[in-house]
Amino acid sequence: MYHEFNDNTCIPSRSDGIDPRRAASLTPETFSPTCALTFTVESRGTALFRNAFGRYNASTDGTPPSPDDLHVMLPCDAPVGTSVVLDVRSEPAYRGGEIGFFLLTPEERPSTARCAGGDCCPTIERYRGGGGYAYYSQRALNPDARGADSFIHLLVYDSRIFERTFYFAWEDTFNTANNDFTDLVTRVSGVECGGAGADCDTRMQGACGRGITRCVDGRLECTPRYA
């Protein structure tokens, strides 16, 4: 997932990119679109299924989104390297505020680690009819969520060299995981952490005390408006 910040990207001295353990985060869970979003398939790794990826309007009441609010951006047949650009803010389905991201799988219900009906390509219509599962960046919305003991389906990585860019690494099976988080890896550019851009107090002196919340390593920090 690219090289560490300030590395020479033409002749990189560090070819291992983001450390998958140290840089992994469970947050942010929601995001603010700041410009046109670019959705990219980075890897389909060891996926059991041909998964799809998309966006939804972030839940504010703990209720999972309806199928009508699941908008697939990278369908099951999108190969590695596929990129889709969309200004979410101009879409009629966008309600304003923050958004979340989801993984859509075709797993047969109840969980069997098999594709429902032998079809390993999930769609919203199949999901609406009871085929497959959806997992969300808001962990409490997941169908197998059970508090602190829930299986983790998503690790989030804040890009080291691209601003407003995050990687999403998913696990795609219900109520179980092998914890390699390579079942689908996507990249989204054009988003900030939910809550970014707000006025804040850095507790520094003078003009440096005026701050703005920004995303740093996937977490909100109050940073000076003026260096």
Side-chain angles (χ1 to χ4, degrees):
M1 293 189 290
Y2 295 95
H3 307 292
E4 296 286 353
F5 185 71
N6 282 338
D7 193 14
N8 184 331
T9 55
C10 294
I11 308 176
S13 60
R14 299 193 60 176
S15 59
D16 56 344
I18 293 175
D19 186 309
R21 291 182 180 273
R22 292 170 53 195
S25 178
L26 301 181
T27 58
E29 293 192 347
T30 60
F31 301 81
S32 297
T34 59
C35 53
L37 274 60
T38 302
F39 301 80
T40 304
V41 180
E42 291 290 322
S43 171
R44 289 191 176 272
T46 58
L48 184 63
F49 310 117
R50 294 163 56 201
N51 302 304
F53 174 81
R55 77 186 196 282
Y56 63 95
N57 291 291
S59 174
T60 58
D61 61 2
T63 303
S66 72
D68 291 336
D69 191 30
L70 298 180
H71 308 283
V72 172
M73 299 306 304
L74 298 169
C76 69
D77 56 357
V80 173
T82 298
S83 288
V84 176
V85 179
L86 177 72
D87 191 342
V88 171
R89 299 168 303 173
S90 65
E91 287 291 294
Y94 176 54
R95 300 173 190 163
E98 297 173 8
I99 62 174
F101 299 105
F102 70 91
L103 179 78
L104 191 65
T105 81
E107 186 175 14
E108 186 176 67
R109 298 187 191 182
S111 174
T112 60
R114 293 195 299 265
C115 299
D119 185 348
C120 291
C121 184
T123 65
I124 296 300
E125 288 307 311
R126 291 184 64 201
Y127 176 69
R128 192 192 310 274
Y133 293 95
Y135 303 102
Y136 307 99
S137 56
Q138 292 177 274
R139 296 174 57 203
L141 306 182
N142 286 339
D144 54 0
R146 53 174 187 268
D149 294 329
S150 300
F151 281 95
I152 296 172
H153 288 278
L154 173 64
L155 296 179
V156 179
Y157 296 86
D158 192 353
S159 175
R160 294 292 191 266
I161 60 174
F162 296 123
E163 291 187 355
R164 302 181 180 90
T165 298
F166 293 85
Y167 296 90
F168 300 87
W170 296 90
E171 282 286 303
D172 66 355
T173 48
F174 180 86
N175 210 31
T176 185
N178 63 4
N179 294 323
D180 61 8
F181 294 94
T182 59
D183 296 338
L184 181 64
V185 180
T186 56
R187 182 175 87 238
V188 178
S189 299
V191 290
E192 269 281 18
C193 295
D199 292 334
C200 61
D201 183 356
T202 67
R203 301 185 182 279
M204 300 171 69
Q205 293 184 346
C208 293
R210 297 182 59 190
I212 185 170
T213 54
R214 290 192 173 94
C215 217
V216 180
D217 288 339
R219 295 171 179 81
L220 284 178
E221 291 189 7
C222 186
T223 59
R225 283 183 176 272
Y226 308 106

